[in-house]
Amino acid sequence: MKQTVERSSEQTAETAEAQKVKTANQEVRYNINRESLQAETGTGTGTGAGTGAGTTRQKRRRYMGVSNQRFRNPRQRAVIWGSLAVIWIAVVWLTGRLLPAGSTLTSLMDRNLAPTWAHPFGTDWLGRDMFMRALKGLATSIQVGLLAACGGGLIALLLGLAAASSKAADRVISWIIDLFLSVPHLVSLVMLAFVFGGGLAGVAAAIALTHWPNLARIVRAEMIQLKSAEYIQISHKLGQSRLQIAVQHMLPHLVPQLFVGVLLIFPHAILHEAAITFLGLGLSPQQPAIGIILSESMRYLSAGMWWLAFFPGLALLLVVRAFDVLGNSLKTLTGTGSSREVR
């Protein structure tokens, strides 16, 4: 009997000890859950509340960053940036074309003025407003770029179509493309501009004849790929001529690549026009052009007239960048080139 009582007392002590351990474990779990809840909701007092709020803000920022990265739309961004680039180019071109002829007349009373509200880009050594001259020069550069890009795109299209017509023509045109690509742009530009006698038409022709090889190579590659398509083979068997197949079936597939390529020629054309005009082989000094403005301003930089080259050069850079953004936006929207990969 005494042994039974001792055993029951031992079991009661063990049960009480186990109950204490269980209660302690529940308290620890409760404290952990309470701290986690305070950290997530940002409630609590003292340092714990501050730490919980900070942790919550970090989690929200991290979640927002992941959400923005996951749900951002490259096509929407391309539409926005492309529209802004078109607006900027149109404003610059229209403003430069619509300026009155008397806006760039000399005024010896206003010579060598630094930038002010009346003259945002300052004045030159003859008192001419550099803001008006820069706008007119940019309008001329855009016009030269348009002529050169369209001419280069037309040459690339014709040679690309001819290269896909036969193997012999493909070998000849590939050799011509490699030949033009092996010659530096500036050297060929200077030679062709000298041959054509300079001027707006001569500079545009020189740029068009030197900026087609890369686009022609793209058109040739697309044509060769399209020739192996099933519907092209079926068209051959149905008796359609090569010209009909090229115009009716292949040309619609080339329009996006061709349009984007022509737009991407624009910045190169504008920069090269300014380069050869800067060297004195492009437009005449009577025509307002950025290259002429930069060339003339080099003589006065040592005298501290920095605004003569800084602002026109910056305006040229912004226009070139706008064409580049527009071309890349169209690449994203049309799915050509490397824009097929979502960045």
Side-chain angles (χ1 to χ4, degrees):
M1 187 69 181
K2 189 183 290 186
Q3 293 178 352
T4 305
V5 173
E6 290 178 354
R7 287 178 182 175
S8 61
S9 62
E10 290 177 357
Q11 290 177 358
T12 304
E14 291 177 357
T15 304
E17 188 69 23
Q19 187 67 26
K20 290 180 181 179
V21 173
K22 186 176 180 180
T23 305
N25 291 334
Q26 289 178 353
E27 290 179 357
V28 171
R29 290 175 184 174
Y30 172 75
N31 292 330
I32 292 174
N33 292 332
R34 186 180 62 182
E35 291 177 358
S36 300
L37 182 62
Q38 289 177 355
E40 290 178 358
T41 58
T43 59
T45 58
T47 309
T51 306
T55 307
T56 305
R57 285 195 295 269
Q58 290 179 358
K59 288 184 178 180
R60 287 176 181 174
R61 289 174 184 172
R62 195 175 304 165
Y63 175 75
M64 291 175 63
V66 172
S67 301
N68 293 333
Q69 187 175 5
R70 183 179 300 174
F71 297 106
R72 64 183 182 181
N73 190 348
R75 290 181 177 272
Q76 186 177 5
R77 292 201 319 273
V79 170
I80 295 173
W81 285 108
S83 302
L84 292 176
V86 170
I87 293 172
W88 167 246
I89 294 169
V91 167
V92 171
W93 185 75
L94 289 175
T95 306
R97 298 294 295 176
L98 296 177
L99 283 177
S103 59
T104 57
L105 294 178
T106 60
S107 176
L108 299 180
M109 299 295 294
D110 299 326
R111 291 185 302 170
N112 303 330
L113 293 180
T116 58
W117 288 110
H119 305 284
F121 289 4
T123 59
D124 61 2
W125 57 96
L126 294 176
R128 294 173 294 187
D129 191 285
M130 293 302 296
F131 180 71
M132 302 297 179
R133 290 195 72 196
L135 285 177
K136 283 187 170 293
L138 289 174
T140 303
S141 298
I142 292 174
Q143 184 178 356
V144 172
L146 177 64
L147 295 174
C150 292
L154 181 61
I155 295 172
L157 177 62
L158 294 177
L159 291 180
L161 293 175
S165 61
S166 64
K167 292 183 179 180
D170 186 23
R171 286 194 293 268
V172 174
I173 292 174
S174 298
W175 179 80
I176 295 174
I177 292 174
D178 293 336
L179 177 63
F180 271 84
L181 288 176
S182 63
V183 180
H185 274 310
L186 193 57
V187 175
S188 55
L189 271 174
V190 169
M191 294 174 58
L192 291 173
F194 179 77
V195 170
F196 288 114
L200 191 145
V203 172
I207 296 173
L209 291 173
T210 54
H211 286 73
W212 60 266
N214 287 323
L215 184 56
R217 189 164 56 180
I218 295 174
V219 173
R220 170 185 168 274
E222 290 288 335
M223 292 291 291
I224 292 175
Q225 185 178 1
L226 288 173
K227 282 176 65 177
S228 60
E230 292 184 0
Y231 70 96
I232 299 296
Q233 302 296 330
I234 294 173
S235 300
H236 275 297
K237 293 179 181 179
L238 290 176
Q240 288 188 339
S241 64
R242 292 180 177 176
L243 181 61
Q244 289 178 336
I245 293 173
V247 174
Q248 296 178 3
H249 301 294
M250 293 183 174
L251 188 59
H253 291 276
L254 295 175
V255 171
Q257 287 87 349
L258 190 65
F259 191 57
V260 172
V262 168
L263 275 178
L264 291 177
I265 290 176
F266 259 98
H268 296 278
I270 293 174
L271 288 177
H272 285 148
E273 176 269 326
I276 60 177
T277 303
F278 179 82
L279 295 175
L281 298 172
L283 303 178
S284 62
Q286 289 76 23
Q287 291 178 301
I290 297 297
I292 295 173
I293 293 173
L294 295 177
S295 177
E296 293 175 347
S297 63
M298 291 297 106
R299 312 171 195 169
Y300 300 91
L301 289 180
S302 59
M305 300 168 63
W306 53 271
W307 57 87
L308 297 180
F310 177 76
F311 290 112
L314 180 61
L316 177 64
L317 180 62
L318 292 177
V319 170
V320 170
R321 181 57 183 162
F323 276 110
D324 190 29
V325 168
L326 180 58
N328 291 327
S329 299
L330 285 176
K331 282 175 65 177
T332 303
L333 293 174
T334 57
T336 58
S338 60
S339 61
R340 293 178 183 176
E341 301 177 1
V342 178
R343 297 180 182 178

